[in-house]
Amino acid sequence: MAAYDLIVIGAGPGGYVCAIRASQLGMKVAMVEKRTTFGGTCLNVGCIPSKALLHASELYDEAGHSFGKMGIGVEPKLDLAKMLTFKDEAVKGNTDGVAFLLRKNKVDHFHGTGRIKAPGIVEVTFMNGETQDVDAKSIVIATGSAVAKLPGVEIDEESVVSSTGALSLPKVPKRMLVIGAGVIGLELGSVWRRLGAEVTVVEYLDRILPGTDAEVAKTLQRILSKQGMIFKLGNKVTGIKKNGAAQVVTVEPAQGGEAETIEADVVLVAIGRIPYTEGLGLGDAGVSLDKRGRVIVDEHYQSSAPGIYAIGDVIQGPMLAHKAEDEGIAVAEILAGQAGHVNYGVIPVVVYTAPEMASVGKSEEELKADGVAYNVGKFPFTANGRAKANQQTDGFVKILADATTDRVLGVHIIGANASEMIAEGAVLMEFGGSAEDLARTCHPHPTLTEAVKEAALAVDKRAIHF
Ligand code: FAD
Ligand code: NAI
């Protein structure tokens, strides 16, 4: 008989949530993690440290620029080492929390690197080189993702950094060049700009945040430009050379043309992430990968090898912590004979810039491409009482509803606290709600959420305050 019902490889948001849910459902669960702490990319070098720095740097920026007009006289002084400690403490609080949860749920853990030796057997190699075979009825691969590299560009995590290095720069660079206007580029670019760096973002495409609603992305680009971020869209980096302490970056128009060079003190490479399956022995175990290196799974998250499942960044779909978590819960429930399920049409996306941008469901471009007739309801924060009181009036709420049924198909928010407000759209869409449902729901006053209600009213052209 196998020692465990389930072994989960990787303790990120996908893996540790899966382990906890499986334990709740009565399974005997083991977790294998090669990092010394739990929580994966998200808690150690992703979501949590980046949000700690975004929070701290936003307050620093506000203290310098917005406090005065509220009658608060302060001259902010940056202590970067302390800010980094604040970030590290946030990480520790969260990773310790996961360790506590795993203990509480009686999940056994093995700190070492897992390799699938055969279906049902994971060989763990510990830090000291010793190995141990652990066997289980089922295996879940939750090994996440790693930084995508730019050919010819070496990341030393000091002057040419990935997101990991950009979370721990020991001093504020005078000039930072960011490659990629995706989520990481805009979030971490914002952090260092607020702390005093001159930030230039080079993006291959002719827009920022590909895949998001174009109108919202354009608005965010305009606001970030006003804050001082410089965008070079439709350009690619073709090489980086050192000149003393400076990095000389060669930038070329994406469609061809004359190259130019830009000097920077630190270059952040943020061109995406790739699934991480190194050393897992997947080929020998009979687990197939797609062209992009992702583990191929069926609708039950089972790979091509029976008894071996995969979730999170290592499979298809958006590389988001909450998507990985929901898949972790779903696969645990499926293994317990229940109907685990993830609704991929309702996965919110948030960009934690200031203002924040948050979306759920379809963009206008997607609805047009699908040939779906829709109505648009829009409401600007300039017309929202709370936003006016706080003098945070940048942005708007946009609701897209089916022209025939009024069912909400997409909610897009750019504005302060968009990350919190988007959950309202997600719940509504999960229940198949209409713009009318939202418009008839009483919202507290004065709150920014009233702009969501007004956008729903605007779908039927009856917004009150605009
Ligand atoms: P991971 O979190 O990557 O965890 C995988 C774990 O597996 C790792 O701990 C790794 O050490 C371990 N592992 C790998 N191979 C082995 C092996 N052979 N043996 C043992 N252990 C192994 N997402 C959001 O939703 N919101 C955000 O705000 C957000 N911010 C981010 C900011 C940054 C800078 C980055 C880089 C990412 C961010 N993400 C965010 C994305 C998010 O971190 C990932 O989507 C999420 O962590 C994926 O979870 P996962 O469980 O699939 O994998
Ligand atoms: P991304 O996929 O979001 O953006 C990468 C950008 O780089 C794209 O705009 C792409 O067009 C551009 N690009 C690619 N190659 C290029 C080149 N050679 N030159 C110039 N531009 C180039 O990837 P990013 O920002 O690295 O983030 C990785 C993942 O992490 C994302 O998929 C995201 O889901 C996740 N993440 C999520 C966060 C959140 O939810 N708030 C925060 C940070 C990361």
Side-chain angles (χ1 to χ4, degrees), residues 130-444:
E130 284 176 16
T131 62
Q132 180 183 343
D133 285 356
V134 187
D135 60 333
K137 286 187 216 151
S138 307
I139 296 171
V140 168
I141 300 167
T143 49
S145 60
V147 174
K149 306 256 170 72
L150 193 57
V153 172
E154 201 196 318
I155 294 176
D156 61 15
E157 296 298 11
E158 281 177 15
S159 45
V160 180
V161 297
S162 71
S163 52
T164 302
L167 290 167
S168 296
L169 296 178
K171 85 176 206 240
V172 180
K174 200 166 160 297
R175 301 157 301 179
M176 175 181 250
L177 185 132
V178 178
I179 312 177
V183 202
I184 291 180
L186 299 185
E187 289 187 358
L188 294 179
S190 288
V191 165
W192 293 104
R193 188 207 52 75
R194 291 168 191 166
L195 299 182
E198 180 187 288
V199 176
T200 303
V201 183
V202 177
E203 164 61 46
Y204 187 82
L205 300 173
D206 60 3
R207 56 162 294 176
I208 68 167
L209 295 171
T212 57
D213 189 272
E215 183 188 15
V216 178
K218 212 170 176 158
T219 307
L220 182 62
Q221 188 195 331
R222 190 173 43 73
I223 297 170
L224 293 178
S225 300
K226 241 170 58 192
Q227 293 171 359
M229 207 178 258
I230 300 159
F231 288 96
K232 286 193 79 65
L233 302 184
N235 276 278
K236 61 181 178 194
V237 168
T238 52
I240 304 177
K241 277 200 183 115
K242 256 192 185 331
N243 179 13
Q247 308 299 315
V248 183
V249 184
T250 306
V251 177
E252 244 178 66
Q255 305 308 329
E258 212 162 300
E260 62 172 317
T261 55
I262 303 176
E263 282 209 2
D265 305 297
V266 170
V267 177
L268 164 60
V269 182
I271 57 164
R273 294 180 63 83
I274 51 168
Y276 184 79
T277 54
E278 214 176 284
L280 268 178
L282 296 189
D284 294 343
V287 174
S288 305
L289 305 181
D290 69 13
K291 277 193 203 124
R292 290 163 68 177
R294 303 175 295 198
V295 176
I296 299 171
V297 292
D298 64 15
E299 69 280 13
H300 290 138
Y301 303 98
Q302 186 159 225
S303 72
S304 49
I308 303 180
Y309 300 77
I311 55 169
D313 279 10
V314 80
I315 66 168
Q316 66 172 12
M319 289 184 168
L320 295 171
H322 40 285
K323 176 259 193 191
E325 287 187 39
D326 284 6
E327 288 177 345
I329 290 173
V331 77
E333 293 179 347
I334 288 166
L335 289 173
Q338 298 184 359
H341 175 253
V342 176
N343 180 359
Y344 289 98
V346 186
I347 295 188
V349 178
V350 177
V351 185
Y352 295 82
T353 43
E356 293 176 341
M357 194 199 105
S359 292
V360 62
K362 301 274 189 188
S363 65
E364 283 204 57
E365 293 71 34
E366 285 171 323
L367 291 177
K368 279 184 190 137
D370 293 349
V372 177
Y374 62 94
N375 291 324
V376 184
K378 248 174 81 175
F379 190 82
F381 284 107
T382 43
N384 171 271
R386 184 71 182 279
K388 272 171 144 162
N390 293 356
Q391 297 196 18
Q392 289 183 312
T393 52
D394 272 339
F396 56 85
V397 180
K398 174 157 97 172
I399 293 179
L400 308 174
D402 188 288
T404 316
T405 64
D406 194 38
R407 185 179 175 144
V408 171
L409 304 173
V411 179
H412 306 277
I413 308 176
I414 173 164
N417 294 345
S419 59
E420 306 292 344
M421 286 187 279
I422 200 65
E424 176 173 14
V427 172
L428 180 84
M429 287 179 63
E430 194 63 52
F431 281 85
S434 63
E436 184 72 18
D437 290 327
L438 187 49
R440 289 196 179 275
T441 304
C442 192
H443 283 63

Side-chain angles (χ1 to χ4, degrees), residues 60-130:
Y60 173 73
D61 195 50
E62 284 200 0
H65 296 103
S66 316
F67 280 20
K69 67 182 177 202
M70 291 184 265
I72 308 168
V74 286
E75 246 182 73
K77 215 172 124 252
L78 178 65
D79 183 341
L80 181 60
K82 209 162 180 178
M83 195 179 278
L84 295 179
T85 303
F86 169 80
K87 176 233 10 167
D88 292 340
E89 283 170 359
V91 169
K92 186 164 181 346
N94 278 279
T95 55
D96 284 356
V98 172
F100 166 78
L101 288 174
L102 290 173
R103 269 197 312 275
K104 184 173 163 240
N105 284 281
K106 300 190 171 45
V107 174
D108 287 348
H109 51 84
F110 296 84
H111 272 295
T113 304
R115 185 177 72 87
I116 302 175
K117 225 169 153 178
I121 303 176
V122 173
E123 178 192 69
V124 182
T125 305
F126 299 100
M127 303 287 183
N128 61 7
E130 284 176 16

